[in-house]
Amino acid sequence: MTDDGASVVSPAAIGRSIGTAARRALGGRRFPLLDRIAFALVVLLVLVALVGLFVTPHDPFMVNTGQAFLPPGSGHLLGTDNVGRDVLSRILAGAGRTLLVAVAIVLCATVIGVLVASAAALMPRWIDESVMRACDICMSLPSLVLALGLAASLGPSMMSIVFAMIATSWPATARLMRNILRETLTSSYVEAARTLGMSRLRLMRRHVLPNSLDAIYVQASMEISGTIVMISGLAFLGVGAPPPSPDWGSLIAQGQNHITTAWWIALFPGLAITLAAIAFGLAGDAVRSAVDPSSRRS
Amino acid sequence: MPEVLLRVAGLRKRFGRGHGVHQALDDVSFDVRQGEILGLVGESGSGKSTIIRCLVGLEKEDSGEITYDGINPAAASKAELRRYRREIQLVFQDPYSSLDPRMTVGQILEEPMLVIGGFSARERRDRINELIHLVGLLPEHLARYPRDFSGGQRQRIAIVRSLVVGPRVLLCDEPVSALDVSVQAQVLNLVKDMQRRLDLTVLFVSHDLAVVKYLCTRLVVLDRGVIAEAGDVPAIYDDPQAPYTRALMEAVPLPDPAAERARRARRQEAAR
């Protein structure tokens, strides 16, 4: 591998092979153009986020007051901020701290939600009911306020945002999963297995979960874009990692004092959040239309 | 007279409580004899399916006793319960929902043998191949998914699934009511054919009196959870005793339009 970043595998080829893998995973379906664009954007964003954690055009943390408030253009494509750091480099470095964190939050919340719902479904009815009522109560609380309170009490760091977001978002998944499980558990093919005396755990693993997870994939992929906006919002409000963290919410917060004179400091991270939210939202839609039985061809 | 293989005695079951209580079964008793096809007839809500569900353990009866060849499933040892589950098999009503959409036909057919246990890999393969041949499916069908098959084919698959473990009793819960009329006869003939070849005892639930007349030797008529009438098929069809049985028979349309018109006129005359 050479230092200049030239690589043998082109991004297009990677995109294609991921597309093929996704298609295979979803049962050999072909996706319309918009869906493919959304998937490509998501793949690109994730790659940028990964690379940006290690490599950026300039050092995203190097302060150089002589270079402060340079407008977008020569040398610094998106300009520099109030202490002379390169805005583009900070956005690239912050992508991982925003996107990958959002994906990790959704993954954790989904796994917890599915596990809780599956356990509840196997328990006696009163435990099942109480767990679901507890989820209802959690869901009735405004999640932004709850996350803010939680994160604030844990002290300002990215981990407290992560913890607060997971804590507020798994009940929705658990509720959804419980309803789907209830339906799957009463279907004839599950009853057919029950009449043979199949154990509950084996029943869950073999018939119930595989047939219930489609909606969870949809829910999770739709959730990511909301989570990106949410963690950026929390970071903007200051409960996230303290400065000089370059996550996108903090970047906007750092730029807001100079919004009238140096608009680029806050605008470009804002655009990055918008682009990511739209890309992940469209990808979520694409997953939904692929999984939706009404659009399924056999 | 052939020996009694399966006996249901004093079965009671109610659903719900308080004002919404529904007595699904009230003191239902009947025998199923070795080698016969016994019809269980009634309108929807008469408790036919509840009896079947109690027999396979999907519902627990409130009181009453089920006895199969000396086994009472409510008080059976592990080995007895295993034999009970193996020897009494159920064919579901709707073949569109009774086959797991994510499993291949081969996996679906193998599963009962894996769950019951005691079948070697070779045995499992041989039994599947033998039975799919009997019902007119092809070996290449085993790699496909349920969605690739028509309703009639799916019900054949479901019938094979119920037969792979070698049952002695086959419970059929309206196995043709979800199918097109054009394939109903094929599936009925298949049930009849399998019953003869494999020496099965069949409890056949239906709301269709024509089907029951064609298939069954004896008949139990169920009316809102109570047995209205039971006996040999020819005797009941020639001279139904219970008013409920007569009403059910009157509801069957006659194939001859002139006769149907005459009957309708008679009915209107009587109503006046």
Side-chain angles (χ1 to χ4, degrees), chain A residues 188-189 191-192 197-198 206-207 210-211 214 298, chain B residues 53 85 92 97-98 100-103 111-112 147:
Chain A
S188 301
Y189 58 85
E191 293 195 328
M198 193 186 252
R206 211 167 146 80
H207 295 289
N211 282 293
D214 272 0
S298 55
Chain B
R53 292 175 69 83
R85 283 174 174 152
F92 283 84
S97 65
S98 70
D100 190 327
R102 288 190 176 251
M103 286 166 69
E111 178 159 78
R147 62 166 177 268

mmCIF file with all atom_site columns, all heavy atoms in Angstrom, chain A residues 188-189 191-192 197-198 206-207 210-211 214 298, chain B residues 53 85 92 97-98 100-103 111-112 147:
data_model
loop_
_atom_site.group_PDB
_atom_site.id
_atom_site.type_symbol
_atom_site.label_atom_id
_atom_site.label_alt_id
_atom_site.label_comp_id
_atom_site.label_asym_id
_atom_site.label_entity_id
_atom_site.label_seq_id
_atom_site.pdbx_PDB_ins_code
_atom_site.Cartn_x
_atom_site.Cartn_y
_atom_site.Cartn_z
_atom_site.occupancy
_atom_site.B_iso_or_equiv
_atom_site.pdbx_formal_charge
_atom_site.auth_seq_id
_atom_site.auth_comp_id
_atom_site.auth_asym_id
_atom_site.auth_atom_id
_atom_site.pdbx_PDB_model_num
ATOM 1   N N   . SER A 1 188 ? -50.098 -20.901 12.040 1.00 0.00 ? 188 SER A N   1
ATOM 2   C CA  . SER A 1 188 ? -50.255 -22.366 11.985 1.00 0.00 ? 188 SER A CA  1
ATOM 3   C C   . SER A 1 188 ? -48.925 -23.092 11.939 1.00 0.00 ? 188 SER A C   1
ATOM 4   O O   . SER A 1 188 ? -48.793 -24.181 12.492 1.00 0.00 ? 188 SER A O   1
ATOM 5   C CB  . SER A 1 188 ? -51.065 -22.780 10.765 1.00 0.00 ? 188 SER A CB  1
ATOM 6   O OG  . SER A 1 188 ? -52.318 -22.203 10.770 1.00 0.00 ? 188 SER A OG  1
ATOM 7   N N   . TYR A 1 189 ? -47.915 -22.518 11.252 1.00 0.00 ? 189 TYR A N   1
ATOM 8   C CA  . TYR A 1 189 ? -46.673 -23.284 11.157 1.00 0.00 ? 189 TYR A CA  1
ATOM 9   C C   . TYR A 1 189 ? -45.962 -23.375 12.497 1.00 0.00 ? 189 TYR A C   1
ATOM 10  O O   . TYR A 1 189 ? -45.273 -24.355 12.768 1.00 0.00 ? 189 TYR A O   1
ATOM 11  C CB  . TYR A 1 189 ? -45.747 -22.751 10.052 1.00 0.00 ? 189 TYR A CB  1
ATOM 12  C CG  . TYR A 1 189 ? -45.334 -21.308 10.150 1.00 0.00 ? 189 TYR A CG  1
ATOM 13  C CD1 . TYR A 1 189 ? -44.255 -20.923 10.924 1.00 0.00 ? 189 TYR A CD1 1
ATOM 14  C CD2 . TYR A 1 189 ? -46.009 -20.334 9.438  1.00 0.00 ? 189 TYR A CD2 1
ATOM 15  C CE1 . TYR A 1 189 ? -43.867 -19.595 11.001 1.00 0.00 ? 189 TYR A CE1 1
ATOM 16  C CE2 . TYR A 1 189 ? -45.635 -19.005 9.505  1.00 0.00 ? 189 TYR A CE2 1
ATOM 17  C CZ  . TYR A 1 189 ? -44.563 -18.649 10.288 1.00 0.00 ? 189 TYR A CZ  1
ATOM 18  O OH  . TYR A 1 189 ? -44.188 -17.342 10.373 1.00 0.00 ? 189 TYR A OH  1
ATOM 19  N N   . GLU A 1 191 ? -47.744 -23.452 15.371 1.00 0.00 ? 191 GLU A N   1
ATOM 20  C CA  . GLU A 1 191 ? -48.568 -24.434 16.088 1.00 0.00 ? 191 GLU A CA  1
ATOM 21  C C   . GLU A 1 191 ? -48.232 -25.846 15.635 1.00 0.00 ? 191 GLU A C   1
ATOM 22  O O   . GLU A 1 191 ? -48.209 -26.775 16.444 1.00 0.00 ? 191 GLU A O   1
ATOM 23  C CB  . GLU A 1 191 ? -50.048 -24.128 15.858 1.00 0.00 ? 191 GLU A CB  1
ATOM 24  C CG  . GLU A 1 191 ? -50.471 -22.817 16.506 1.00 0.00 ? 191 GLU A CG  1
ATOM 25  C CD  . GLU A 1 191 ? -51.973 -22.672 16.615 1.00 0.00 ? 191 GLU A CD  1
ATOM 26  O OE1 . GLU A 1 191 ? -52.670 -23.191 15.722 1.00 0.00 ? 191 GLU A OE1 1
ATOM 27  O OE2 . GLU A 1 191 ? -52.434 -22.050 17.581 1.00 0.00 ? 191 GLU A OE2 1
ATOM 28  N N   . ALA A 1 192 ? -47.961 -25.997 14.341 1.00 0.00 ? 192 ALA A N   1
ATOM 29  C CA  . ALA A 1 192 ? -47.604 -27.328 13.834 1.00 0.00 ? 192 ALA A CA  1
ATOM 30  C C   . ALA A 1 192 ? -46.368 -27.849 14.545 1.00 0.00 ? 192 ALA A C   1
ATOM 31  O O   . ALA A 1 192 ? -46.300 -29.023 14.923 1.00 0.00 ? 192 ALA A O   1
ATOM 32  C CB  . ALA A 1 192 ? -47.369 -27.262 12.323 1.00 0.00 ? 192 ALA A CB  1
ATOM 33  N N   . GLY A 1 197 ? -44.181 -31.130 20.073 1.00 0.00 ? 197 GLY A N   1
ATOM 34  C CA  . GLY A 1 197 ? -43.503 -31.062 21.354 1.00 0.00 ? 197 GLY A CA  1
ATOM 35  C C   . GLY A 1 197 ? -42.166 -30.355 21.281 1.00 0.00 ? 197 GLY A C   1
ATOM 36  O O   . GLY A 1 197 ? -41.276 -30.605 22.082 1.00 0.00 ? 197 GLY A O   1
ATOM 37  N N   . MET A 1 198 ? -42.019 -29.441 20.304 1.00 0.00 ? 198 MET A N   1
ATOM 38  C CA  . MET A 1 198 ? -40.759 -28.700 20.184 1.00 0.00 ? 198 MET A CA  1
ATOM 39  C C   . MET A 1 198 ? -40.599 -27.756 21.376 1.00 0.00 ? 198 MET A C   1
ATOM 40  O O   . MET A 1 198 ? -41.552 -27.131 21.813 1.00 0.00 ? 198 MET A O   1
ATOM 41  C CB  . MET A 1 198 ? -40.783 -27.893 18.880 1.00 0.00 ? 198 MET A CB  1
ATOM 42  C CG  . MET A 1 198 ? -39.444 -27.334 18.481 1.00 0.00 ? 198 MET A CG  1
ATOM 43  S SD  . MET A 1 198 ? -39.603 -26.270 17.048 1.00 0.00 ? 198 MET A SD  1
ATOM 44  C CE  . MET A 1 198 ? -38.869 -27.264 15.797 1.00 0.00 ? 198 MET A CE  1
ATOM 45  N N   . ARG A 1 206 ? -35.982 -21.392 15.588 1.00 0.00 ? 206 ARG A N   1
ATOM 46  C CA  . ARG A 1 206 ? -36.151 -22.011 14.288 1.00 0.00 ? 206 ARG A CA  1
ATOM 47  C C   . ARG A 1 206 ? -37.273 -21.378 13.464 1.00 0.00 ? 206 ARG A C   1
ATOM 48  O O   . ARG A 1 206 ? -37.154 -21.227 12.250 1.00 0.00 ? 206 ARG A O   1
ATOM 49  C CB  . ARG A 1 206 ? -36.437 -23.495 14.479 1.00 0.00 ? 206 ARG A CB  1
ATOM 50  C CG  . ARG A 1 206 ? -35.924 -24.321 13.345 1.00 0.00 ? 206 ARG A CG  1
ATOM 51  C CD  . ARG A 1 206 ? -35.948 -25.782 13.706 1.00 0.00 ? 206 ARG A CD  1
ATOM 52  N NE  . ARG A 1 206 ? -36.234 -26.586 12.545 1.00 0.00 ? 206 ARG A NE  1
ATOM 53  C CZ  . ARG A 1 206 ? -35.324 -26.902 11.628 1.00 0.00 ? 206 ARG A CZ  1
ATOM 54  N NH1 . ARG A 1 206 ? -34.097 -26.465 11.746 1.00 0.00 ? 206 ARG A NH1 1
ATOM 55  N NH2 . ARG A 1 206 ? -35.647 -27.629 10.586 1.00 0.00 ? 206 ARG A NH2 1
ATOM 56  N N   . HIS A 1 207 ? -38.383 -21.017 14.130 1.00 0.00 ? 207 HIS A N   1
ATOM 57  C CA  . HIS A 1 207 ? -39.529 -20.520 13.369 1.00 0.00 ? 207 HIS A CA  1
ATOM 58  C C   . HIS A 1 207 ? -39.886 -19.072 13.674 1.00 0.00 ? 207 HIS A C   1
ATOM 59  O O   . HIS A 1 207 ? -40.154 -18.295 12.765 1.00 0.00 ? 207 HIS A O   1
ATOM 60  C CB  . HIS A 1 207 ? -40.765 -21.377 13.658 1.00 0.00 ? 207 HIS A CB  1
ATOM 61  C CG  . HIS A 1 207 ? -40.634 -22.787 13.189 1.00 0.00 ? 207 HIS A CG  1
ATOM 62  N ND1 . HIS A 1 207 ? -40.654 -23.125 11.859 1.00 0.00 ? 207 HIS A ND1 1
ATOM 63  C CD2 . HIS A 1 207 ? -40.466 -23.935 13.857 1.00 0.00 ? 207 HIS A CD2 1
ATOM 64  C CE1 . HIS A 1 207 ? -40.516 -24.438 11.737 1.00 0.00 ? 207 HIS A CE1 1
ATOM 65  N NE2 . HIS A 1 207 ? -40.384 -24.954 12.941 1.00 0.00 ? 207 HIS A NE2 1
ATOM 66  N N   . PRO A 1 210 ? -36.825 -15.990 12.904 1.00 0.00 ? 210 PRO A N   1
ATOM 67  C CA  . PRO A 1 210 ? -36.553 -15.734 11.487 1.00 0.00 ? 210 PRO A CA  1
ATOM 68  C C   . PRO A 1 210 ? -37.729 -15.085 10.764 1.00 0.00 ? 210 PRO A C   1
ATOM 69  O O   . PRO A 1 210 ? -37.537 -14.287 9.858  1.00 0.00 ? 210 PRO A O   1
ATOM 70  C CB  . PRO A 1 210 ? -36.281 -17.132 10.908 1.00 0.00 ? 210 PRO A CB  1
ATOM 71  C CG  . PRO A 1 210 ? -35.876 -17.953 12.056 1.00 0.00 ? 210 PRO A CG  1
ATOM 72  C CD  . PRO A 1 210 ? -36.597 -17.406 13.252 1.00 0.00 ? 210 PRO A CD  1
ATOM 73  N N   . ASN A 1 211 ? -38.950 -15.415 11.208 1.00 0.00 ? 211 ASN A N   1
ATOM 74  C CA  . ASN A 1 211 ? -40.113 -14.853 10.531 1.00 0.00 ? 211 ASN A CA  1
ATOM 75  C C   . ASN A 1 211 ? -40.566 -13.526 11.123 1.00 0.00 ? 211 ASN A C   1
ATOM 76  O O   . ASN A 1 211 ? -41.511 -12.925 10.635 1.00 0.00 ? 211 ASN A O   1
ATOM 77  C CB  . ASN A 1 211 ? -41.267 -15.855 10.571 1.00 0.00 ? 211 ASN A CB  1
ATOM 78  C CG  . ASN A 1 211 ? -41.079 -16.951 9.552  1.00 0.00 ? 211 ASN A CG  1
ATOM 79  O OD1 . ASN A 1 211 ? -41.137 -16.696 8.356  1.00 0.00 ? 211 ASN A OD1 1
ATOM 80  N ND2 . ASN A 1 211 ? -40.810 -18.152 10.012 1.00 0.00 ? 211 ASN A ND2 1
ATOM 81  N N   . ASP A 1 214 ? -37.913 -9.340  9.920  1.00 0.00 ? 214 ASP A N   1
ATOM 82  C CA  . ASP A 1 214 ? -38.000 -8.422  8.779  1.00 0.00 ? 214 ASP A CA  1
ATOM 83  C C   . ASP A 1 214 ? -38.365 -7.006  9.213  1.00 0.00 ? 214 ASP A C   1
ATOM 84  O O   . ASP A 1 214 ? -37.695 -6.038  8.854  1.00 0.00 ? 214 ASP A O   1
ATOM 85  C CB  . ASP A 1 214 ? -39.054 -8.920  7.781  1.00 0.00 ? 214 ASP A CB  1
ATOM 86  C CG  . ASP A 1 214 ? -38.441 -9.888  6.774  1.00 0.00 ? 214 ASP A CG  1
ATOM 87  O OD1 . ASP A 1 214 ? -37.216 -10.137 6.887  1.00 0.00 ? 214 ASP A OD1 1
ATOM 88  O OD2 . ASP A 1 214 ? -39.175 -10.381 5.909  1.00 0.00 ? 214 ASP A OD2 1
ATOM 89  N N   . SER A 1 298 ? -42.491 -13.469 -6.002 1.00 0.00 ? 298 SER A N   1
ATOM 90  C CA  . SER A 1 298 ? -41.935 -14.799 -5.749 1.00 0.00 ? 298 SER A CA  1
ATOM 91  C C   . SER A 1 298 ? -41.520 -15.453 -7.061 1.00 0.00 ? 298 SER A C   1
ATOM 92  O O   . SER A 1 298 ? -41.979 -15.083 -8.108 1.00 0.00 ? 298 SER A O   1
ATOM 93  C CB  . SER A 1 298 ? -42.929 -15.680 -5.023 1.00 0.00 ? 298 SER A CB  1
ATOM 94  O OG  . SER A 1 298 ? -44.136 -15.744 -5.747 1.00 0.00 ? 298 SER A OG  1
ATOM 95  N N   . ARG B 2 53  ? -57.883 -29.184 18.629 1.00 0.00 ? 53  ARG B N   1
ATOM 96  C CA  . ARG B 2 53  ? -56.788 -28.485 19.319 1.00 0.00 ? 53  ARG B CA  1
ATOM 97  C C   . ARG B 2 53  ? -56.527 -29.089 20.697 1.00 0.00 ? 53  ARG B C   1
ATOM 98  O O   . ARG B 2 53  ? -55.380 -29.121 21.154 1.00 0.00 ? 53  ARG B O   1
ATOM 99  C CB  . ARG B 2 53  ? -57.096 -26.993 19.429 1.00 0.00 ? 53  ARG B CB  1
ATOM 100 C CG  . ARG B 2 53  ? -57.078 -26.290 18.068 1.00 0.00 ? 53  ARG B CG  1
ATOM 101 C CD  . ARG B 2 53  ? -57.505 -24.828 18.182 1.00 0.00 ? 53  ARG B CD  1
ATOM 102 N NE  . ARG B 2 53  ? -56.519 -24.038 18.898 1.00 0.00 ? 53  ARG B NE  1
ATOM 103 C CZ  . ARG B 2 53  ? -55.445 -23.523 18.346 1.00 0.00 ? 53  ARG B CZ  1
ATOM 104 N NH1 . ARG B 2 53  ? -55.212 -23.706 17.076 1.00 0.00 ? 53  ARG B NH1 1
ATOM 105 N NH2 . ARG B 2 53  ? -54.589 -22.827 19.065 1.00 0.00 ? 53  ARG B NH2 1
ATOM 106 N N   . ARG B 2 85  ? -47.552 -38.149 20.539 1.00 0.00 ? 85  ARG B N   1
ATOM 107 C CA  . ARG B 2 85  ? -47.304 -37.082 19.557 1.00 0.00 ? 85  ARG B CA  1
ATOM 108 C C   . ARG B 2 85  ? -46.900 -37.638 18.207 1.00 0.00 ? 85  ARG B C   1
ATOM 109 O O   . ARG B 2 85  ? -47.146 -37.042 17.176 1.00 0.00 ? 85  ARG B O   1
ATOM 110 C CB  . ARG B 2 85  ? -46.200 -36.152 20.068 1.00 0.00 ? 85  ARG B CB  1
ATOM 111 C CG  . ARG B 2 85  ? -46.698 -35.201 21.115 1.00 0.00 ? 85  ARG B CG  1
ATOM 112 C CD  . ARG B 2 85  ? -45.534 -34.428 21.682 1.00 0.00 ? 85  ARG B CD  1
ATOM 113 N NE  . ARG B 2 85  ? -45.991 -33.401 22.595 1.00 0.00 ? 85  ARG B NE  1
ATOM 114 C CZ  . ARG B 2 85  ? -45.273 -32.958 23.601 1.00 0.00 ? 85  ARG B CZ  1
ATOM 115 N NH1 . ARG B 2 85  ? -44.070 -33.437 23.823 1.00 0.00 ? 85  ARG B NH1 1
ATOM 116 N NH2 . ARG B 2 85  ? -45.738 -32.016 24.384 1.00 0.00 ? 85  ARG B NH2 1
ATOM 117 N N   . PHE B 2 92  ? -53.450 -29.176 9.021  1.00 0.00 ? 92  PHE B N   1
ATOM 118 C CA  . PHE B 2 92  ? -54.117 -27.912 9.279  1.00 0.00 ? 92  PHE B CA  1
ATOM 119 C C   . PHE B 2 92  ? -55.037 -27.510 8.138  1.00 0.00 ? 92  PHE B C   1
ATOM 120 O O   . PHE B 2 92  ? -54.918 -27.991 7.018  1.00 0.00 ? 92  PHE B O   1
ATOM 121 C CB  . PHE B 2 92  ? -53.083 -26.808 9.503  1.00 0.00 ? 92  PHE B CB  1
ATOM 122 C CG  . PHE B 2 92  ? -52.448 -26.844 10.863 1.00 0.00 ? 92  PHE B CG  1
ATOM 123 C CD1 . PHE B 2 92  ? -51.375 -27.677 11.107 1.00 0.00 ? 92  PHE B CD1 1
ATOM 124 C CD2 . PHE B 2 92  ? -52.934 -26.058 11.885 1.00 0.00 ? 92  PHE B CD2 1
ATOM 125 C CE1 . PHE B 2 92  ? -50.792 -27.717 12.353 1.00 0.00 ? 92  PHE B CE1 1
ATOM 126 C CE2 . PHE B 2 92  ? -52.358 -26.093 13.133 1.00 0.00 ? 92  PHE B CE2 1
ATOM 127 C CZ  . PHE B 2 92  ? -51.285 -26.919 13.374 1.00 0.00 ? 92  PHE B CZ  1
ATOM 128 N N   . SER B 2 97  ? -50.783 -20.940 5.510  1.00 0.00 ? 97  SER B N   1
ATOM 129 C CA  . SER B 2 97  ? -50.156 -20.464 6.740  1.00 0.00 ? 97  SER B CA  1
ATOM 130 C C   . SER B 2 97  ? -49.531 -21.599 7.560  1.00 0.00 ? 97  SER B C   1
ATOM 131 O O   . SER B 2 97  ? -48.883 -21.342 8.556  1.00 0.00 ? 97  SER B O   1
ATOM 132 C CB  . SER B 2 97  ? -51.172 -19.697 7.591  1.00 0.00 ? 97  SER B CB  1
ATOM 133 O OG  . SER B 2 97  ? -52.192 -20.569 8.014  1.00 0.00 ? 97  SER B OG  1
ATOM 134 N N   . SER B 2 98  ? -49.703 -22.831 7.139  1.00 0.00 ? 98  SER B N   1
ATOM 135 C CA  . SER B 2 98  ? -49.200 -23.916 7.985  1.00 0.00 ? 98  SER B CA  1
ATOM 136 C C   . SER B 2 98  ? -47.792 -24.371 7.610  1.00 0.00 ? 98  SER B C   1
ATOM 137 O O   . SER B 2 98  ? -47.227 -25.233 8.267  1.00 0.00 ? 98  SER B O   1
ATOM 138 C CB  . SER B 2 98  ? -50.160 -25.103 7.961  1.00 0.00 ? 98  SER B CB  1
ATOM 139 O OG  . SER B 2 98  ? -50.144 -25.730 6.704  1.00 0.00 ? 98  SER B OG  1
ATOM 140 N N   . ASP B 2 100 ? -43.861 -23.067 7.101  1.00 0.00 ? 100 ASP B N   1
ATOM 141 C CA  . ASP B 2 100 ? -42.951 -21.948 7.384  1.00 0.00 ? 100 ASP B CA  1
ATOM 142 C C   . ASP B 2 100 ? -42.384 -21.392 6.082  1.00 0.00 ? 100 ASP B C   1
ATOM 143 O O   . ASP B 2 100 ? -41.680 -22.101 5.362  1.00 0.00 ? 100 ASP B O   1
ATOM 144 C CB  . ASP B 2 100 ? -41.818 -22.436 8.284  1.00 0.00 ? 100 ASP B CB  1
ATOM 145 C CG  . ASP B 2 100 ? -40.970 -21.280 8.807  1.00 0.00 ? 100 ASP B CG  1
ATOM 146 O OD1 . ASP B 2 100 ? -40.814 -20.279 8.074  1.00 0.00 ? 100 ASP B OD1 1
ATOM 147 O OD2 . ASP B 2 100 ? -40.459 -21.375 9.929  1.00 0.00 ? 100 ASP B OD2 1
ATOM 148 N N   . PRO B 2 101 ? -42.694 -20.094 5.766  1.00 0.00 ? 101 PRO B N   1
ATOM 149 C CA  . PRO B 2 101 ? -42.275 -19.539 4.468  1.00 0.00 ? 101 PRO B CA  1
ATOM 150 C C   . PRO B 2 101 ? -40.764 -19.464 4.274  1.00 0.00 ? 101 PRO B C   1
ATOM 151 O O   . PRO B 2 101 ? -40.292 -19.300 3.157  1.00 0.00 ? 101 PRO B O   1
ATOM 152 C CB  . PRO B 2 101 ? -42.894 -18.135 4.479  1.00 0.00 ? 101 PRO B CB  1
ATOM 153 C CG  . PRO B 2 101 ? -43.141 -17.816 5.908  1.00 0.00 ? 101 PRO B CG  1
ATOM 154 C CD  . PRO B 2 101 ? -43.437 -19.136 6.572  1.00 0.00 ? 101 PRO B CD  1
ATOM 155 N N   . ARG B 2 102 ? -40.000 -19.566 5.366  1.00 0.00 ? 102 ARG B N   1
ATOM 156 C CA  . ARG B 2 102 ? -38.547 -19.430 5.250  1.00 0.00 ? 102 ARG B CA  1
ATOM 157 C C   . ARG B 2 102 ? -37.827 -20.764 5.176  1.00 0.00 ? 102 ARG B C   1
ATOM 158 O O   . ARG B 2 102 ? -36.603 -20.804 5.173  1.00 0.00 ? 102 ARG B O   1
ATOM 159 C CB  . ARG B 2 102 ? -38.000 -18.646 6.433  1.00 0.00 ? 102 ARG B CB  1
ATOM 160 C CG  . ARG B 2 102 ? -38.391 -17.226 6.292  1.00 0.00 ? 102 ARG B CG  1
ATOM 161 C CD  . ARG B 2 102 ? -37.702 -16.365 7.286  1.00 0.00 ? 102 ARG B CD  1
ATOM 162 N NE  . ARG B 2 102 ? -38.090 -15.021 6.994  1.00 0.00 ? 102 ARG B NE  1
ATOM 163 C CZ  . ARG B 2 102 ? -37.280 -14.115 6.469  1.00 0.00 ? 102 ARG B CZ  1
ATOM 164 N NH1 . ARG B 2 102 ? -36.040 -14.400 6.227  1.00 0.00 ? 102 ARG B NH1 1
ATOM 165 N NH2 . ARG B 2 102 ? -37.717 -12.916 6.198  1.00 0.00 ? 102 ARG B NH2 1
ATOM 166 N N   . MET B 2 103 ? -38.580 -21.845 5.163  1.00 0.00 ? 103 MET B N   1
ATOM 167 C CA  . MET B 2 103 ? -37.915 -23.143 5.088  1.00 0.00 ? 103 MET B CA  1
ATOM 168 C C   . MET B 2 103 ? -38.214 -23.793 3.743  1.00 0.00 ? 103 MET B C   1
ATOM 169 O O   . MET B 2 103 ? -39.279 -23.595 3.171  1.00 0.00 ? 103 MET B O   1
ATOM 170 C CB  . MET B 2 103 ? -38.397 -24.038 6.240  1.00 0.00 ? 103 MET B CB  1
ATOM 171 C CG  . MET B 2 103 ? -37.804 -23.603 7.569  1.00 0.00 ? 103 MET B CG  1
ATOM 172 S SD  . MET B 2 103 ? -38.606 -24.310 9.004  1.00 0.00 ? 103 MET B SD  1
ATOM 173 C CE  . MET B 2 103 ? -38.144 -25.986 8.888  1.00 0.00 ? 103 MET B CE  1
ATOM 174 N N   . GLU B 2 111 ? -38.444 -31.815 9.506  1.00 0.00 ? 111 GLU B N   1
ATOM 175 C CA  . GLU B 2 111 ? -38.554 -31.312 10.872 1.00 0.00 ? 111 GLU B CA  1
ATOM 176 C C   . GLU B 2 111 ? -39.276 -32.235 11.863 1.00 0.00 ? 111 GLU B C   1
ATOM 177 O O   . GLU B 2 111 ? -38.753 -32.479 12.960 1.00 0.00 ? 111 GLU B O   1
ATOM 178 C CB  . GLU B 2 111 ? -39.209 -29.931 10.869 1.00 0.00 ? 111 GLU B CB  1
ATOM 179 C CG  . GLU B 2 111 ? -39.386 -29.402 12.276 1.00 0.00 ? 111 GLU B CG  1
ATOM 180 C CD  . GLU B 2 111 ? -39.540 -27.917 12.313 1.00 0.00 ? 111 GLU B CD  1
ATOM 181 O OE1 . GLU B 2 111 ? -40.631 -27.451 12.005 1.00 0.00 ? 111 GLU B OE1 1
ATOM 182 O OE2 . GLU B 2 111 ? -38.565 -27.224 12.619 1.00 0.00 ? 111 GLU B OE2 1
ATOM 183 N N   . PRO B 2 112 ? -40.473 -32.766 11.511 1.00 0.00 ? 112 PRO B N   1
ATOM 184 C CA  . PRO B 2 112 ? -41.151 -33.616 12.503 1.00 0.00 ? 112 PRO B CA  1
ATOM 185 C C   . PRO B 2 112 ? -40.280 -34.781 12.966 1.00 0.00 ? 112 PRO B C   1
ATOM 186 O O   . PRO B 2 112 ? -40.271 -35.108 14.158 1.00 0.00 ? 112 PRO B O   1
ATOM 187 C CB  . PRO B 2 112 ? -42.378 -34.133 11.740 1.00 0.00 ? 112 PRO B CB  1
ATOM 188 C CG  . PRO B 2 112 ? -42.613 -33.145 10.677 1.00 0.00 ? 112 PRO B CG  1
ATOM 189 C CD  . PRO B 2 112 ? -41.272 -32.617 10.286 1.00 0.00 ? 112 PRO B CD  1
ATOM 190 N N   . ARG B 2 147 ? -43.800 -20.807 -1.158 1.00 0.00 ? 147 ARG B N   1
ATOM 191 C CA  . ARG B 2 147 ? -44.418 -19.824 -2.044 1.00 0.00 ? 147 ARG B CA  1
ATOM 192 C C   . ARG B 2 147 ? -44.387 -20.249 -3.501 1.00 0.00 ? 147 ARG B C   1
ATOM 193 O O   . ARG B 2 147 ? -45.078 -19.677 -4.335 1.00 0.00 ? 147 ARG B O   1
ATOM 194 C CB  . ARG B 2 147 ? -43.735 -18.460 -1.878 1.00 0.00 ? 147 ARG B CB  1
ATOM 195 C CG  . ARG B 2 147 ? -42.268 -18.460 -2.255 1.00 0.00 ? 147 ARG B CG  1
ATOM 196 C CD  . ARG B 2 147 ? -41.709 -17.045 -2.396 1.00 0.00 ? 147 ARG B CD  1
ATOM 197 N NE  . ARG B 2 147 ? -40.287 -17.092 -2.683 1.00 0.00 ? 147 ARG B NE  1
ATOM 198 C CZ  . ARG B 2 147 ? -39.330 -17.061 -1.764 1.00 0.00 ? 147 ARG B CZ  1
ATOM 199 N NH1 . ARG B 2 147 ? -39.659 -16.960 -0.485 1.00 0.00 ? 147 ARG B NH1 1
ATOM 200 N NH2 . ARG B 2 147 ? -38.059 -17.128 -2.111 1.00 0.00 ? 147 ARG B NH2 1
#
